[in-house]
């Protein structure tokens, strides 16, 4: 059992994992490494003058690893709501989590299988915190924005979901920023 299971290892999923792991939640990320980032070259990512997509992914994964999130190279084939949270199935076994963040690119199949609402345009229904119509299940990135894809927006989507999870855990609005000593 983990606190947070993140499905997808692109900017949205890694951002969610970074925030939750950094702030002490036991986090697992399931990644198939099929992100569009490998085809990208970023000139418009705030704070980064220029970086290749694959290099960006290497840096982002390193940040997530530094905060000890468990990154699994595995495809999640199903997600189900349980009395205790969520059950996720992969080819390697079953995982349980209190929260789930689905950031699986443009594919909404896992969200639909979980019972999340889907808009007429094929995107997953979310509120302003990226929580789906299923409590404690979040969606981020392309699956909530359709063809409107930008790495920085996707990363922001993951952060929004993570901060909402952290707020729920804290029982009050959570602010994730650090000040130098």
């Amino acid at each position: 059992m983990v606190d947070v299971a993140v499905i997808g290892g692109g900017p949205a999923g890694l951002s969610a994992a970074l925030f939750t792991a950094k702030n002490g939640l036991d986090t697992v990320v399931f990644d198939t490494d099929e992100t569009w980032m490998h085809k990208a070259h970023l000139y418009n990512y705030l704070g980064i003058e220029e970086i290749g997509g694959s290099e960006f992914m290497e840096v982002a994964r390193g940040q997530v690893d530094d905060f000890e999130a468990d990154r699994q190279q595995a495809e999640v084939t199903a997600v189900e709501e349980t009395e205790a949270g969520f059950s996720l199935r992969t080819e390697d076994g079953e995982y349980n989590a209190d929260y789930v963040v689905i950031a699986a690119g443009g594919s909404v199949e896992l969200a639909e299988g979980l019972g999340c609402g889907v808009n007429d345009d094929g995107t997953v229904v979310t509120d302003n915190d990226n929580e789906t119509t299923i409590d404690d299940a979040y969606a981020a990135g392309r699956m909530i924005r359709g063809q409107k894809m930008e790495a920085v927006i996707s990363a922001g989507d993951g952060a929004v979901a993570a901060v909402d999870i952290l707020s729920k855990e804290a029982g009050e609005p959570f602010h994730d920023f650090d000040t130098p000593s």
Side-chain angles (χ1 to χ4, degrees), residues 123-164:
T123 58
V124 176
V125 175
T126 61
D127 65 13
N128 287 339
D129 295 315
N130 292 349
E131 191 169 18
T132 69
T133 54
I134 304 294
D135 288 341
D136 300 331
Y138 295 80
R142 185 172 170 206
M143 66 186 341
I144 66 171
R145 300 195 180 278
Q147 295 301 314
K148 300 173 190 159
M149 300 183 296
E150 285 297 326
V152 71
I153 294 170
S154 292
D157 288 342
V160 166
V163 168
D164 194 60

Side-chain angles (χ1 to χ4, degrees), residues 9 35 47 77 166:
T35 177
T77 56
L166 291 161

Side-chain angles (χ1 to χ4, degrees), residues 53-113:
S54 293
E55 181 184 0
F56 174 86
M57 292 304 300
E58 185 178 324
V59 170
R61 288 175 178 143
Q63 286 180 294
V64 170
D65 292 347
D66 288 346
F67 288 104
E68 300 181 359
D70 178 18
R71 284 192 308 110
Q72 298 285 321
Q73 190 70 31
E75 180 179 0
V76 174
T77 56
V79 181
E80 295 176 354
E81 194 171 15
T82 67
E83 287 182 20
F86 300 93
S87 174
L88 295 82
R89 279 194 299 277
T90 72
E91 59 199 21
D92 299 327
E94 192 169 304
Y95 296 81
N96 295 298
D98 295 327
Y99 300 92
V100 65
V101 178
I102 306 171
S107 174
V108 300
E109 290 176 16
L110 289 172
E112 282 182 309

